Amino acid sequence: MVSIRVENLKKYFRKVKAVDDISFEVKNGEFMALLGPSGCGKTTTLLTLAGIYKPTSGKIFFGDYLVNDVQPRDRNIGMVFQSYALYPHMSVYDNISFPLKAKGSKKREFHDRVVNIVEKLGIGHLLDRKPSEISGGQQQRVALARALIKEPQIFLLDEPLSNLDARLRVMMRAEIKKLQNDLRITTVYVTHDQVEALTMADRIAVFSNGKIMQIGDPEEIYNRPQNIFVAQFIGNPPMNFVEAEIKEVEGITFAVSKNLKIRIDDTLKPYLKNLNSPNVIVGIRPEDIKIYKNKELNRDLTEGILYVIEPLGRDEIYNVKVGESLLKVITEEKLKIGVGERVYCEFDAKKVHIFDRESEISIRR
Amino acid sequence: MKKRSPLFFFLLPSVVSVSIFFALPVILTGVLSFTGMDYSFKWNFVGIQNYIDMIGDFMISTVVKNTFVYVFFTLLLFNLGTALLLALFTTTVSDRAGGFFRTIWMLPRLTPSVVYGLMWIWAFDPTDYGLVNIARKLLFGLPPQNWLQSDPMLIIVVANGFVGASFGMILFTSAIKSIPRDYLYAARVDGGSWFFTVRKVILPMIKWQILFVTAYQTLSLLTSFEYIYIITDGGPAFATEVWALYTYHSAFQDFRFGYGAALSMVLVGIGIVSALFYLKFFRFKEMIKEPRIEVDS
Ligand SMILES: Nc1ncnc2c1ncn2[C@@H]1O[C@H](COP(=O)(O)OP(=O)(O)OP(=O)(O)O)[C@@H](O)[C@H]1O
Ligand SMILES: [Mg+2]
């Protein structure tokens, strides 16, 4: 096991800045997710870690060892590709033992190891089949087995679950996490699915356009997004955003827009000095808004019209029109309100996020 | 039946033209092979006499041996071997360098065969002025050698090979390029040497193209003789007389049209047999088996 350190890594394809000056560290045995939308440079980062791509500039360390010029095969990594890349002309057995054969091992030396790993992954009965003769989920396990058979010190996975159906994905999510937990192998896991990142990873690096927008553990990423990109990318349904202005009224600080007025909690006030101007974007998660049918006294309520309801089984998403903007509110409570009726929203002042409108950076940076 | 008749009319032109230009010559040759037609152009049928003559023809054993050597070595060393090496090499280096190399190898194909043939004659000219002899003198200080006399088959194989290699090269190149990159990345990560990766991953994945080139080039080598005709005309002393050229000589030099036709028919038979052999050898059926699951990337 070994740690990874990336320093000012850049990877350009001619003019395309696929990876644009990123730095991060993955600790020994840590599960790190690289999360971001399509085309943001996740795969490029992973392939550069693997040594398939040469960095345009920057340094990659495995432990204290600079690996920039080390060949992929000497980096001791196991990799799972998005396409699985199982060799179609080889049996499952040959696929899994490929890395050992490539190193010149003989069958009698590695047979036990193959048996061992296929037992662990529950694919022992598939050894004679070709990849085209097994299901997607099984292919996925074979790919995992092939990556792990040589007991690598680093485990790289590129969207390994994106070809699976929703149910299988949820199952494999837990299995991969368990596997990583058992092996305690330093892992970099690429995904565009925020749920995967939040549920599986010890830490998450959120990517956008070849840059890292924020690195932190899932709790941090979710509760303290550093910028609007992270705030809107993480969370489902996404965070609500409202343009507002910071104003002081009778000694109380508010974020005020045309139709709503949100009180700024005392815990946030010290951060307001980070603002260059009073123009802000206020973010509030759907679960941090409470919805009432009647105007209750002694509460700071914002009036709106119920636009549409999206039932989710356990929860319901209420879409509320407040002036021009549409707020999403998620709650377990089943309110008996009809579409078009008047409702009242209460914002949890402690959970409000405030971003500079110019720089889109959180005041709690 | 009602529905079929318009289809029939639509197909008619191509059926007719295919029949006239492809099937008819074969049938005519077949019929001709049962005649003793000579310069008098008379259709005097002689039954299978031509085929019986063939068994007794003292030239046949030489021609068969020459044909085998010529086809086997050109195919193995150049049309497959060199083509494969070039394809692997030009897809490993940068795109631009690779493209440049491939273009160079395409040049002989763009040159008229007569010009190209003459170039080889000049290259192996027995005097001091032949390219190879100049090189020999400069490099080793050796006297000129009459290559066309001493190693005619070698020259024929090389001359044909240099043209022939580009066909396989182009096919193999595009086949290698269309292998999804993930397979090659996976092989690199998993520690395969270049040779191991070629053997275990690349070659199996371009098996179909290898079969195609092997089969196609075997057939075209069996039937082509223009470079041999231009460079040695089968000589010296029949050392490079291959089956196709012998057919040509029989028909158009000795005016034994019937016998030449019979020789052609045998060549067609050999072609069919070798094609079937390749299909079996490469287990063609297995290759075209539909995969049950497609994983897209
Ligand atoms: N080999 C390449 N040559 C040229 N451009 C490339 C190459 N590989 C990637 N790119 C470009 O670099 C950018 C990042 O690509 P990358 O594959 O890393 O994205 P990604 O985050 O993995 O996206 P996805 O989620 O769709 O897989 C894209 O704009 C892509 O077009
Ligand atoms: Mg990708």
mmCIF file of all heavy atoms in Angstrom, chain A residues 11-14 16-19 36-47 53 82 158-159 190-192 207 210, chain B residues 181 185, ligand 1:
data_model
loop_
_atom_site.group_PDB
_atom_site.id
_atom_site.type_symbol
_atom_site.label_atom_id
_atom_site.label_comp_id
_atom_site.label_asym_id
_atom_site.label_seq_id
_atom_site.Cartn_x
_atom_site.Cartn_y
_atom_site.Cartn_z
ATOM 1 N N LYS A 11 -2.422 18.169 -18.153
ATOM 2 C CA LYS A 11 -2.385 17.306 -19.330
ATOM 3 C C LYS A 11 -3.183 17.987 -20.437
ATOM 4 O O LYS A 11 -4.402 18.139 -20.338
ATOM 5 C CB LYS A 11 -2.986 15.929 -19.008
ATOM 6 C CG LYS A 11 -3.035 14.991 -20.188
ATOM 7 C CD LYS A 11 -1.650 14.629 -20.698
ATOM 8 C CE LYS A 11 -1.698 13.931 -22.057
ATOM 9 N NZ LYS A 11 -0.352 13.748 -22.617
ATOM 10 N N TYR A 12 -2.466 18.422 -21.453
ATOM 11 C CA TYR A 12 -3.123 19.078 -22.590
ATOM 12 C C TYR A 12 -3.077 18.151 -23.799
ATOM 13 O O TYR A 12 -2.081 17.489 -24.041
ATOM 14 C CB TYR A 12 -2.409 20.386 -22.973
ATOM 15 C CG TYR A 12 -2.425 21.475 -21.922
ATOM 16 C CD1 TYR A 12 -1.705 22.647 -22.115
ATOM 17 C CD2 TYR A 12 -3.155 21.336 -20.756
ATOM 18 C CE1 TYR A 12 -1.708 23.656 -21.154
ATOM 19 C CE2 TYR A 12 -3.167 22.333 -19.794
ATOM 20 C CZ TYR A 12 -2.427 23.488 -19.990
ATOM 21 O OH TYR A 12 -2.430 24.465 -19.042
ATOM 22 N N PHE A 13 -4.169 18.120 -24.545
ATOM 23 C CA PHE A 13 -4.162 17.483 -25.866
ATOM 24 C C PHE A 13 -4.201 18.624 -26.871
ATOM 25 O O PHE A 13 -5.266 19.188 -27.103
ATOM 26 C CB PHE A 13 -5.359 16.564 -26.050
ATOM 27 C CG PHE A 13 -5.396 15.428 -25.085
ATOM 28 C CD1 PHE A 13 -6.269 15.432 -24.005
ATOM 29 C CD2 PHE A 13 -4.551 14.343 -25.248
ATOM 30 C CE1 PHE A 13 -6.296 14.385 -23.106
ATOM 31 C CE2 PHE A 13 -4.580 13.292 -24.354
ATOM 32 C CZ PHE A 13 -5.449 13.315 -23.286
ATOM 33 N N ARG A 14 -3.040 18.961 -27.416
ATOM 34 C CA ARG A 14 -2.936 20.185 -28.226
ATOM 35 C C ARG A 14 -3.534 21.343 -27.449
ATOM 36 O O ARG A 14 -3.049 21.718 -26.414
ATOM 37 C CB ARG A 14 -3.625 20.007 -29.586
ATOM 38 C CG ARG A 14 -2.851 19.033 -30.453
ATOM 39 C CD ARG A 14 -3.605 18.730 -31.729
ATOM 40 N NE ARG A 14 -3.269 17.402 -32.196
ATOM 41 C CZ ARG A 14 -2.362 17.171 -33.147
ATOM 42 N NH1 ARG A 14 -1.747 18.142 -33.739
ATOM 43 N NH2 ARG A 14 -2.079 15.932 -33.518
ATOM 44 N N VAL A 16 -6.640 21.440 -26.114
ATOM 45 C CA VAL A 16 -7.618 21.059 -25.092
ATOM 46 C C VAL A 16 -6.926 20.863 -23.746
ATOM 47 O O VAL A 16 -6.043 20.016 -23.613
ATOM 48 C CB VAL A 16 -8.335 19.744 -25.485
ATOM 49 C CG1 VAL A 16 -9.381 19.381 -24.437
ATOM 50 C CG2 VAL A 16 -8.982 19.873 -26.847
ATOM 51 N N LYS A 17 -7.342 21.635 -22.751
ATOM 52 C CA LYS A 17 -6.762 21.478 -21.431
ATOM 53 C C LYS A 17 -7.590 20.462 -20.660
ATOM 54 O O LYS A 17 -8.492 20.820 -19.907
ATOM 55 C CB LYS A 17 -6.743 22.822 -20.704
ATOM 56 C CG LYS A 17 -5.901 23.856 -21.412
ATOM 57 C CD LYS A 17 -5.918 25.179 -20.669
ATOM 58 C CE LYS A 17 -4.947 26.157 -21.356
ATOM 59 N NZ LYS A 17 -4.897 27.441 -20.662
ATOM 60 N N ALA A 18 -7.293 19.185 -20.890
ATOM 61 C CA ALA A 18 -8.091 18.127 -20.270
ATOM 62 C C ALA A 18 -7.919 18.150 -18.756
ATOM 63 O O ALA A 18 -8.876 17.990 -18.006
ATOM 64 C CB ALA A 18 -7.701 16.772 -20.844
ATOM 65 N N VAL A 19 -6.673 18.306 -18.315
ATOM 66 C CA VAL A 19 -6.402 18.445 -16.884
ATOM 67 C C VAL A 19 -5.565 19.704 -16.730
ATOM 68 O O VAL A 19 -4.526 19.837 -17.370
ATOM 69 C CB VAL A 19 -5.644 17.220 -16.338
ATOM 70 C CG1 VAL A 19 -5.208 17.477 -14.910
ATOM 71 C CG2 VAL A 19 -6.519 15.982 -16.409
ATOM 72 N N GLY A 36 -17.254 14.425 -11.259
ATOM 73 C CA GLY A 36 -17.437 15.581 -12.126
ATOM 74 C C GLY A 36 -18.271 15.217 -13.333
ATOM 75 O O GLY A 36 -18.452 14.034 -13.626
ATOM 76 N N PRO A 37 -18.763 16.219 -14.061
ATOM 77 C CA PRO A 37 -19.592 15.939 -15.225
ATOM 78 C C PRO A 37 -18.755 15.392 -16.378
ATOM 79 O O PRO A 37 -17.523 15.373 -16.311
ATOM 80 C CB PRO A 37 -20.181 17.303 -15.577
ATOM 81 C CG PRO A 37 -19.221 18.291 -15.027
ATOM 82 C CD PRO A 37 -18.596 17.666 -13.825
ATOM 83 N N SER A 38 -19.411 14.967 -17.436
ATOM 84 C CA SER A 38 -18.731 14.389 -18.583
ATOM 85 C C SER A 38 -17.742 15.381 -19.189
ATOM 86 O O SER A 38 -18.038 16.559 -19.327
ATOM 87 C CB SER A 38 -19.792 14.000 -19.622
ATOM 88 O OG SER A 38 -19.192 13.240 -20.615
ATOM 89 N N GLY A 39 -16.561 14.862 -19.519
ATOM 90 C CA GLY A 39 -15.579 15.690 -20.212
ATOM 91 C C GLY A 39 -14.773 16.611 -19.321
ATOM 92 O O GLY A 39 -14.077 17.493 -19.804
ATOM 93 N N CYS A 40 -14.814 16.405 -18.013
ATOM 94 C CA CYS A 40 -14.118 17.336 -17.119
ATOM 95 C C CYS A 40 -12.690 16.884 -16.825
ATOM 96 O O CYS A 40 -11.962 17.556 -16.111
ATOM 97 C CB CYS A 40 -14.885 17.494 -15.818
ATOM 98 S SG CYS A 40 -14.916 16.001 -14.842
ATOM 99 N N GLY A 41 -12.272 15.740 -17.366
ATOM 100 C CA GLY A 41 -10.879 15.336 -17.215
ATOM 101 C C GLY A 41 -10.633 14.237 -16.199
ATOM 102 O O GLY A 41 -9.497 13.991 -15.812
ATOM 103 N N LYS A 42 -11.667 13.534 -15.788
ATOM 104 C CA LYS A 42 -11.497 12.484 -14.786
ATOM 105 C C LYS A 42 -10.692 11.317 -15.349
ATOM 106 O O LYS A 42 -9.715 10.863 -14.747
ATOM 107 C CB LYS A 42 -12.875 11.964 -14.323
ATOM 108 C CG LYS A 42 -13.821 13.036 -13.853
ATOM 109 C CD LYS A 42 -15.163 12.458 -13.429
ATOM 110 C CE LYS A 42 -15.935 11.762 -14.528
ATOM 111 N NZ LYS A 42 -16.555 12.654 -15.507
ATOM 112 N N THR A 43 -11.119 10.831 -16.518
ATOM 113 C CA THR A 43 -10.423 9.701 -17.118
ATOM 114 C C THR A 43 -8.979 10.072 -17.447
ATOM 115 O O THR A 43 -8.057 9.277 -17.232
ATOM 116 C CB THR A 43 -11.156 9.241 -18.392
ATOM 117 O OG1 THR A 43 -12.465 8.823 -18.035
ATOM 118 C CG2 THR A 43 -10.429 8.108 -19.067
ATOM 119 N N THR A 44 -8.801 11.275 -17.951
ATOM 120 C CA THR A 44 -7.443 11.719 -18.273
ATOM 121 C C THR A 44 -6.562 11.693 -17.027
ATOM 122 O O THR A 44 -5.422 11.217 -17.070
ATOM 123 C CB THR A 44 -7.481 13.140 -18.863
ATOM 124 O OG1 THR A 44 -8.406 13.152 -19.954
ATOM 125 C CG2 THR A 44 -6.118 13.562 -19.348
ATOM 126 N N THR A 45 -7.102 12.172 -15.911
ATOM 127 C CA THR A 45 -6.346 12.136 -14.665
ATOM 128 C C THR A 45 -5.977 10.700 -14.300
ATOM 129 O O THR A 45 -4.831 10.398 -13.962
ATOM 130 C CB THR A 45 -7.183 12.743 -13.522
ATOM 131 O OG1 THR A 45 -7.633 14.038 -13.911
ATOM 132 C CG2 THR A 45 -6.372 12.850 -12.251
ATOM 133 N N LEU A 46 -6.946 9.818 -14.414
ATOM 134 C CA LEU A 46 -6.724 8.426 -14.034
ATOM 135 C C LEU A 46 -5.662 7.771 -14.926
ATOM 136 O O LEU A 46 -4.765 7.074 -14.446
ATOM 137 C CB LEU A 46 -8.048 7.662 -14.133
ATOM 138 C CG LEU A 46 -8.168 6.462 -13.228
ATOM 139 C CD1 LEU A 46 -8.175 6.901 -11.777
ATOM 140 C CD2 LEU A 46 -9.443 5.681 -13.533
ATOM 141 N N LEU A 47 -5.780 8.027 -16.245
ATOM 142 C CA LEU A 47 -4.825 7.424 -17.170
ATOM 143 C C LEU A 47 -3.426 8.008 -16.982
ATOM 144 O O LEU A 47 -2.427 7.347 -17.263
ATOM 145 C CB LEU A 47 -5.293 7.623 -18.618
ATOM 146 C CG LEU A 47 -6.511 6.783 -19.021
ATOM 147 C CD1 LEU A 47 -6.967 7.115 -20.430
ATOM 148 C CD2 LEU A 47 -6.208 5.289 -18.924
ATOM 149 N N TYR A 53 -0.854 8.054 -20.080
ATOM 150 C CA TYR A 53 -0.559 9.388 -20.598
ATOM 151 C C TYR A 53 0.633 9.966 -19.844
ATOM 152 O O TYR A 53 0.740 9.788 -18.635
ATOM 153 C CB TYR A 53 -1.746 10.338 -20.390
ATOM 154 C CG TYR A 53 -2.962 10.054 -21.229
ATOM 155 C CD1 TYR A 53 -4.223 10.465 -20.800
ATOM 156 C CD2 TYR A 53 -2.866 9.402 -22.455
ATOM 157 C CE1 TYR A 53 -5.352 10.226 -21.560
ATOM 158 C CE2 TYR A 53 -3.994 9.156 -23.216
ATOM 159 C CZ TYR A 53 -5.235 9.575 -22.761
ATOM 160 O OH TYR A 53 -6.351 9.343 -23.508
ATOM 161 N N GLN A 82 -14.011 1.608 -17.755
ATOM 162 C CA GLN A 82 -15.450 1.804 -17.900
ATOM 163 C C GLN A 82 -16.061 0.738 -18.807
ATOM 164 O O GLN A 82 -17.144 0.239 -18.577
ATOM 165 C CB GLN A 82 -15.697 3.197 -18.480
ATOM 166 C CG GLN A 82 -17.154 3.562 -18.506
ATOM 167 C CD GLN A 82 -17.353 4.994 -19.000
ATOM 168 O OE1 GLN A 82 -16.401 5.741 -19.135
ATOM 169 N NE2 GLN A 82 -18.580 5.354 -19.248
ATOM 170 N N ASP A 158 -12.444 3.365 -13.305
ATOM 171 C CA ASP A 158 -13.039 4.408 -14.137
ATOM 172 C C ASP A 158 -14.513 4.098 -14.371
ATOM 173 O O ASP A 158 -14.842 3.236 -15.174
ATOM 174 C CB ASP A 158 -12.295 4.498 -15.470
ATOM 175 C CG ASP A 158 -12.707 5.734 -16.254
ATOM 176 O OD1 ASP A 158 -13.573 6.485 -15.771
ATOM 177 O OD2 ASP A 158 -12.156 5.945 -17.353
ATOM 178 N N GLU A 159 -15.372 4.789 -13.681
ATOM 179 C CA GLU A 159 -16.822 4.609 -13.798
ATOM 180 C C GLU A 159 -17.211 3.139 -13.932
ATOM 181 O O GLU A 159 -17.871 2.754 -14.895
ATOM 182 C CB GLU A 159 -17.351 5.385 -15.013
ATOM 183 C CG GLU A 159 -16.866 6.805 -15.027
ATOM 184 C CD GLU A 159 -17.814 7.761 -15.730
ATOM 185 O OE1 GLU A 159 -18.990 7.400 -15.886
ATOM 186 O OE2 GLU A 159 -17.387 8.861 -16.082
ATOM 187 N N VAL A 190 -13.226 6.929 -10.250
ATOM 188 C CA VAL A 190 -13.792 7.999 -11.083
ATOM 189 C C VAL A 190 -15.275 7.778 -11.283
ATOM 190 O O VAL A 190 -15.708 6.652 -11.553
ATOM 191 C CB VAL A 190 -13.090 8.017 -12.459
ATOM 192 C CG1 VAL A 190 -13.928 8.767 -13.473
ATOM 193 C CG2 VAL A 190 -11.726 8.658 -12.339
ATOM 194 N N THR A 191 -16.061 8.824 -11.112
ATOM 195 C CA THR A 191 -17.496 8.683 -11.338
ATOM 196 C C THR A 191 -18.118 10.033 -11.669
ATOM 197 O O THR A 191 -17.571 11.078 -11.338
ATOM 198 C CB THR A 191 -18.195 8.085 -10.102
ATOM 199 O OG1 THR A 191 -19.599 8.029 -10.350
ATOM 200 C CG2 THR A 191 -17.953 8.930 -8.862
ATOM 201 N N HIS A 192 -19.235 9.995 -12.376
ATOM 202 C CA HIS A 192 -19.976 11.242 -12.576
ATOM 203 C C HIS A 192 -21.241 11.226 -11.722
ATOM 204 O O HIS A 192 -22.061 12.124 -11.800
ATOM 205 C CB HIS A 192 -20.324 11.445 -14.050
ATOM 206 C CG HIS A 192 -21.225 10.379 -14.602
ATOM 207 N ND1 HIS A 192 -20.763 9.372 -15.410
ATOM 208 C CD2 HIS A 192 -22.534 10.150 -14.439
ATOM 209 C CE1 HIS A 192 -21.766 8.573 -15.718
ATOM 210 N NE2 HIS A 192 -22.848 9.010 -15.145
ATOM 211 N N PHE A 207 -14.477 17.757 -9.802
ATOM 212 C CA PHE A 207 -13.811 18.305 -10.982
ATOM 213 C C PHE A 207 -14.773 19.136 -11.822
ATOM 214 O O PHE A 207 -15.960 18.822 -11.920
ATOM 215 C CB PHE A 207 -13.316 17.164 -11.893
ATOM 216 C CG PHE A 207 -11.983 16.613 -11.524
ATOM 217 C CD1 PHE A 207 -11.798 15.975 -10.315
ATOM 218 C CD2 PHE A 207 -10.910 16.713 -12.401
ATOM 219 C CE1 PHE A 207 -10.570 15.439 -9.979
ATOM 220 C CE2 PHE A 207 -9.678 16.181 -12.073
ATOM 221 C CZ PHE A 207 -9.501 15.551 -10.868
ATOM 222 N N GLY A 210 -11.406 20.349 -16.050
ATOM 223 C CA GLY A 210 -9.986 20.077 -15.835
ATOM 224 C C GLY A 210 -9.420 20.644 -14.551
ATOM 225 O O GLY A 210 -8.228 20.535 -14.305
ATOM 226 N N ARG B 181 -9.171 1.418 -27.496
ATOM 227 C CA ARG B 181 -7.912 1.711 -26.822
ATOM 228 C C ARG B 181 -7.816 1.074 -25.438
ATOM 229 O O ARG B 181 -6.739 0.753 -24.973
ATOM 230 C CB ARG B 181 -7.731 3.221 -26.698
ATOM 231 C CG ARG B 181 -7.319 3.878 -27.993
ATOM 232 C CD ARG B 181 -7.161 5.359 -27.772
ATOM 233 N NE ARG B 181 -8.336 5.888 -27.077
ATOM 234 C CZ ARG B 181 -8.429 7.115 -26.603
ATOM 235 N NH1 ARG B 181 -7.417 7.928 -26.711
ATOM 236 N NH2 ARG B 181 -9.536 7.529 -26.007
ATOM 237 N N TYR B 185 -4.608 -0.291 -23.347
ATOM 238 C CA TYR B 185 -4.251 0.318 -22.062
ATOM 239 C C TYR B 185 -4.233 -0.757 -20.979
ATOM 240 O O TYR B 185 -3.315 -0.810 -20.158
ATOM 241 C CB TYR B 185 -5.266 1.398 -21.675
ATOM 242 C CG TYR B 185 -5.235 2.637 -22.532
ATOM 243 C CD1 TYR B 185 -6.269 3.561 -22.482
ATOM 244 C CD2 TYR B 185 -4.168 2.903 -23.392
ATOM 245 C CE1 TYR B 185 -6.253 4.712 -23.261
ATOM 246 C CE2 TYR B 185 -4.145 4.036 -24.178
ATOM 247 C CZ TYR B 185 -5.193 4.940 -24.106
ATOM 248 O OH TYR B 185 -5.177 6.066 -24.869
HETATM 249 N N1 LIG C 1 -6.722 11.289 -26.356
HETATM 250 C C1 LIG C 1 -7.315 12.511 -26.394
HETATM 251 N N2 LIG C 1 -7.046 13.368 -27.393
HETATM 252 C C2 LIG C 1 -7.628 14.583 -27.432
HETATM 253 N N3 LIG C 1 -8.498 15.040 -26.523
HETATM 254 C C3 LIG C 1 -8.811 14.235 -25.505
HETATM 255 C C4 LIG C 1 -8.250 12.922 -25.380
HETATM 256 N N4 LIG C 1 -8.744 12.336 -24.270
HETATM 257 C C5 LIG C 1 -9.583 13.243 -23.729
HETATM 258 N N5 LIG C 1 -9.630 14.372 -24.458
HETATM 259 C C6 LIG C 1 -10.417 15.577 -24.142
HETATM 260 O O1 LIG C 1 -10.101 15.960 -22.824
HETATM 261 C C7 LIG C 1 -11.251 16.311 -22.087
HETATM 262 C C8 LIG C 1 -11.386 15.441 -20.859
HETATM 263 O O2 LIG C 1 -11.643 14.120 -21.256
HETATM 264 P P1 LIG C 1 -11.830 12.927 -20.231
HETATM 265 O O3 LIG C 1 -11.969 11.678 -21.013
HETATM 266 O O4 LIG C 1 -10.749 12.964 -19.217
HETATM 267 O O5 LIG C 1 -13.207 13.302 -19.566
HETATM 268 P P2 LIG C 1 -14.027 12.509 -18.451
HETATM 269 O O6 LIG C 1 -14.106 13.409 -17.281
HETATM 270 O O7 LIG C 1 -13.464 11.168 -18.229
HETATM 271 O O8 LIG C 1 -15.470 12.428 -19.110
HETATM 272 P P3 LIG C 1 -16.531 11.208 -19.126
HETATM 273 O O9 LIG C 1 -17.298 11.301 -17.857
HETATM 274 O O10 LIG C 1 -17.384 11.539 -20.304
HETATM 275 O O11 LIG C 1 -15.786 9.936 -19.288
HETATM 276 C C9 LIG C 1 -12.412 16.206 -23.051
HETATM 277 O O12 LIG C 1 -12.684 17.478 -23.552
HETATM 278 C C10 LIG C 1 -11.899 15.300 -24.128
HETATM 279 O O13 LIG C 1 -12.486 15.620 -25.352
#
